[in-house]
Amino acid sequence: MTVTAPQSPPGDPGPPAAPTALAGPPKPPAGGTTLPGRGPGARTAPGQSRRNLSTLRATDVYALLGAAAASLALTWLMFDRLLPFNGVLGFLAIAYVLFLGVYALLVSFDEDGPAVRDRIAAAVVQTLGLLMLAVLAFVVVYTLYEGREALPHPNFYVESMADAGPVEPLGVGGILHAIVGTLWQIGIALAVCIPAGLVCAVFLNEVPGPFSRFVRTIVEAMTALPSIVAGLFIYATFILGLGFDRSGLAAALAISVMMLPIVIRAADVVIRLVPGTLREASYALGTSRWRTVWHVVLPTSRSGLTTAVILGTARGVGETSPVLLTAGFTAELNTNPLQDPMVSLPLAAFELVKSPEPTYIARGFGTAAVLLVLVLVLFVLARVLGGRGPGRLSRRQEHRRVRASRRDAQRFAARGRADQTTDHPAPTRSTP
């Protein structure tokens, strides 16, 4: 006997089929990942609460202050009551180690292991940053404080030490000869290092090959070159080998040896960060490699190249050993860098501080303070001249661009009128 089940019309799914004994038990649903909701009404799992990591909770502040107070108290107890320790440096070191331990313990009450490690790492990194900032502030403030006696005198900036002896008061003599020498030496060094460094950095990026890799290796090795070696090199080649006298030019060449690898290395890194799509777009328009470098790569990396020059200048303006070997020392003003000794600010500060006379020591610290201000002025000037990013124009450049656009629009309009006149000539009257 055959039983035929009724068929449902097309498009009708029909009633659900009843489970049969041969189908077996129902299969459990496949496993999956359930993401918590992000809306305002979303619910989270019981026992869990979302936390905004960008804000600082009150418990974080309490843990930080509590760890600091507990570490100071424990260190004081160890130094004053329990152990025969003394010394400020040891007190600070032990207090910091105890602070990290107590801080980790307090954080572990509310957070898990990864969060505790993250807090400890953040505390260490922030402490190192504050330490470096404190050291920099201490150096600047201490230099200004020790030179407070010499800085207020106007003659300190407009006179040389030619007429000032060791026992002369601060109202006589100054560091004009050192300021002029520093400006001459760093100016010549920049005239050598900027074109040579930028051309070398472009070569390393645009002309890859075995020779460029060799040059990059030499540049990286020269980055850690001791300054005394650079001074000995110029002294042996320029002064002893070629027979020139000690002068500002020799000192500038020695400073250039120190600045050049810094400029090349920093400029190489900056040019390497220029997107390759900009070069490809320039090549697609039919331009050559060097026009692409001049009009695309260098303007795009202008701000970074300015920073590279600043780094090299900061390295060269504070060098003392190369200048001591190649420039000599003089207390008179010399404005000719090609002959006669020429002193710089670092060398003047070095020689003045060595004197046992208090007035010379005050002049030495005042010279160091002027050097700090000079570096700051050079840094600000470089940021103003080259600190704009790619595509950002000055007010004068914007006016020039607008005038050029107006001239182009007038030229295009005149050309359009001329084309219309050529396509539709005026009708001429024919004579019978």
Side-chain angles (χ1 to χ4, degrees), residues 421-429:
T421 305
T422 304
D423 295 341
H424 304 281
T428 58
R429 179 180 299 177

Side-chain angles (χ1 to χ4, degrees), residues 140 145 162 193 336:
V140 174
Y145 178 78
C193 291
N336 186 5

Side-chain angles (χ1 to χ4, degrees), residues 188-228:
I188 296 175
L190 287 176
V192 173
C193 291
I194 290 178
L198 296 185
V199 169
C200 185
V202 170
F203 167 76
L204 294 179
N205 284 273
E206 299 296 332
V207 189
F211 184 68
S212 63
R213 290 195 294 269
F214 172 75
V215 173
R216 181 177 282 110
T217 302
I218 297 300
V219 169
E220 292 177 354
M222 288 184 62
T223 305
L225 183 70
S227 59
I228 190 67

Side-chain angles (χ1 to χ4, degrees), residues 170-197:
L170 294 176
V172 180
I175 58 169
L176 178 63
H177 60 302
I179 297 176
V180 173
T182 297
L183 294 178
W184 267 114
Q185 293 172 13
I186 202 65
I188 296 175
L190 287 176
V192 173
C193 291
I194 290 178

Side-chain angles (χ1 to χ4, degrees), residues 225-241 246 250 253-255 257-258 320-326:
L225 183 70
S227 59
I228 190 67
V229 176
L232 289 174
F233 171 72
I234 297 299
Y235 181 77
T237 57
F238 189 77
I239 297 178
L240 296 182
R246 294 184 179 184
L253 294 178
I255 294 174
V257 175
M258 299 302 302
T320 305
S321 300
V323 180
L324 180 63
L325 292 174
T326 56

Side-chain angles (χ1 to χ4, degrees), residues 345-404:
L345 286 173
L347 182 58
F350 174 74
E351 294 291 340
L352 291 173
V353 170
K354 289 195 309 180
S355 174
E357 296 295 331
T359 55
Y360 267 37
I361 295 176
R363 289 189 180 98
F365 278 101
T367 305
V370 172
L371 179 61
L372 292 177
V373 175
L374 177 61
V375 172
L376 178 62
V377 170
L378 293 176
F379 175 80
V380 173
L381 182 61
R383 295 304 298 175
V384 170
L385 295 179
R388 293 186 180 89
R392 298 181 58 186
L393 305 178
S394 63
R395 187 178 299 274
R396 180 176 301 178
Q397 291 173 341
E398 290 179 356
H399 290 330
R400 191 182 305 120
R401 184 69 58 85
V402 170
R403 288 196 300 268

